[in-house]
């Protein structure tokens, strides 16, 4: 669970202000000690409190005097370069809050104009015609220009990507070549099959009895009549390409 943000304002309740001072003073002393130890720098902290007669000093009085003397030896311009008082600190906070307010107003205005643009695209121009003033129209024109610039930029990017990419990659070209060769081979086989079927029909019609395995010849003496059935030679009849 995140820590609740503390409102930076004077605490009017006396007991709550005293408890906050005690807690924050202890944390500040700890941070100064950590900063001096981790970064190897000279630092000191002097805190005056309305609840105590003597100020609280870190690390000690001698160490604080050494750091203050070192600071006073610096030129006056360097001493006051990053120094702020209550008035300058408040002015900085006001300026920062003003910049944040300006940013939020700009974002809200862009959202409003974007909503108006979408309503116009959906055919609600007649309803908005009377409510739009010159400032709204100027902002709408600016928003349209920004969107058109983004679209043109995207189009140029896509054109560059399309120009850099090859039309057909090497694996795709190999697949196309293989499929074309297979189609040509299938067409040749189909033509050859048709020619062989036609040849077989013509051959059967020319000598039907012979090719059915019947021969008419004489008897044992050469003059007798009889029908002898011989087993046909399939290897002679059927081409080897079909029945090996």
């Amino acid at each position: 669970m995140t820590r609740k943000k503390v409102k930076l304002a004077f605490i009017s309740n006396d007991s709550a202000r005293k408890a906050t001072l005690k807690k924050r003073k202890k944390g500040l002393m700890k941070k100064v000690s950590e900063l001096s130890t981790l970064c190897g720098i000279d630092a000191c902290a002097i805190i005056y409190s309305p609840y105590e007669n003597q100020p609280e000093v870190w690390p000690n009085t001698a160490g604080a005097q050494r750091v203050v003397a070192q600071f006073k030896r610096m030129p006056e311009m360097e001493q006051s370069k990053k120094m702020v008082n209550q008035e300058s600190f408040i002015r900085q906070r006001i300026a920062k809050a003003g910049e944040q307010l300006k940013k939020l107003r700009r974002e809200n205005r862009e959202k409003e104009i974007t909503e108006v643009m979408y309503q116009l695209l959906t055919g609600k121009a007649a309803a908005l015609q009377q409510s739009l003033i010159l400032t709204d129209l100027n902002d709408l024109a600016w928003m349209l220009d920004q969107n058109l610039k983004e679209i043109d930029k995207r189009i140029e990017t896509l054109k560059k990507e399309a120009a850099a990419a090859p039309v057909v990659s090497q694996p795709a070209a190999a697949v196309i070549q293989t499929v074309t060769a297979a189609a040509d081979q299938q067409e040749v086989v189909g033509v050859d099959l048709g020619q062989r079927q036609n040849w077989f029909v013509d051959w059967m019609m020319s000598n039907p009895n012979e090719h059915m395995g019947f021969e008419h010849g004489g008897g044992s003496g050469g003059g007798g009549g009889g029908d002898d059935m011989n087993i046909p030679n399939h290897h002679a009849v059927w081409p080897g390409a079909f029945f090996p």
Side-chain angles (χ1 to χ4, degrees):
M1 184 176 179
T2 58
R3 184 178 179 181
K4 185 178 180 181
K5 189 175 181 180
V6 179
K7 183 180 179 181
L8 293 179
F10 179 75
I11 301 175
S12 57
N13 186 280
D14 187 69
S15 59
R17 185 171 65 253
K18 186 175 181 180
T20 302
L21 174 63
K22 183 178 180 181
K23 180 180 179 181
R24 294 299 179 101
K25 181 175 64 175
K26 183 178 180 180
L28 178 61
M29 293 297 184
K30 182 179 179 181
K31 290 296 183 183
V32 174
S33 175
E34 292 175 353
L35 182 64
S36 178
T37 302
L38 294 174
C39 302
I41 60 173
D42 292 331
C44 69
I46 303 174
I47 300 177
Y48 283 90
S49 170
Y51 307 106
E52 297 177 1
N53 295 328
Q54 296 295 327
E56 188 169 351
V57 181
W58 186 93
N60 48 46
T61 304
Q65 290 177 350
R66 185 181 69 255
V67 174
V68 171
Q70 184 179 354
F71 175 75
K72 287 184 177 181
R73 287 196 296 268
M74 296 175 60
E76 292 186 4
M77 291 295 295
E78 293 294 329
Q79 290 181 15
S80 60
K81 186 176 181 179
K82 296 183 179 181
M83 186 180 298
V84 295
N85 53 19
Q86 187 69 19
E87 182 181 359
S88 60
F89 175 75
I90 295 298
R91 290 183 181 276
Q92 290 179 2
R93 294 296 302 270
I94 292 174
K96 185 177 180 181
E99 292 295 330
Q100 293 177 351
L101 179 61
K102 187 185 297 185
K103 182 179 178 181
L104 291 175
R105 285 178 176 175
R106 179 185 178 88
E107 292 177 354
N108 291 336
R109 184 60 176 171
E110 289 181 359
K111 292 179 180 179
E112 291 176 359
I113 297 301
T114 302
E115 181 66 22
V116 171
M117 182 176 63
Y118 287 153
Q119 290 181 3
L120 292 174
L121 291 175
T122 55
K124 298 181 180 180
L128 295 172
Q129 186 175 3
Q130 301 298 330
S131 61
L132 295 177
I133 60 177
L134 181 60
T135 305
D136 297 333
L137 295 176
N138 289 332
D139 293 342
L140 181 61
W142 178 85
M143 180 66 68
L144 290 173
D145 290 338
Q146 294 298 319
N147 284 278
L148 289 175
K149 289 179 181 179
E150 292 294 330
I151 292 173
D152 292 338
K153 188 183 297 184
R154 180 59 178 167
I155 290 174
E156 292 297 328
T157 303
L158 293 176
K159 285 182 178 180
K160 291 180 180 180
E161 292 177 356
V167 178
V168 179
S169 60
Q170 294 296 330
V175 171
I176 293 174
Q177 185 177 3
T178 303
V179 171
T180 304
D184 294 339
Q185 183 178 3
Q186 184 178 6
E187 183 178 357
V188 172
V189 171
V191 173
D192 188 42
L193 176 60
Q195 291 177 351
R196 294 195 179 197
Q197 290 176 347
N198 293 333
W199 168 82
F200 176 70
V201 171
D202 295 338
W203 180 78
M204 290 293 293
M205 293 298 295
S206 62
N207 297 296
N209 292 331
E210 178 181 356
H211 301 307
M212 291 299 294
F214 296 97
E215 292 184 358
H216 298 281
S220 59
D227 293 336
D228 297 329
M229 185 171 62
N230 298 325
I231 298 175
N233 186 356
H234 294 286
H235 294 284
V237 176
W238 300 97
F242 297 96
F243 297 95

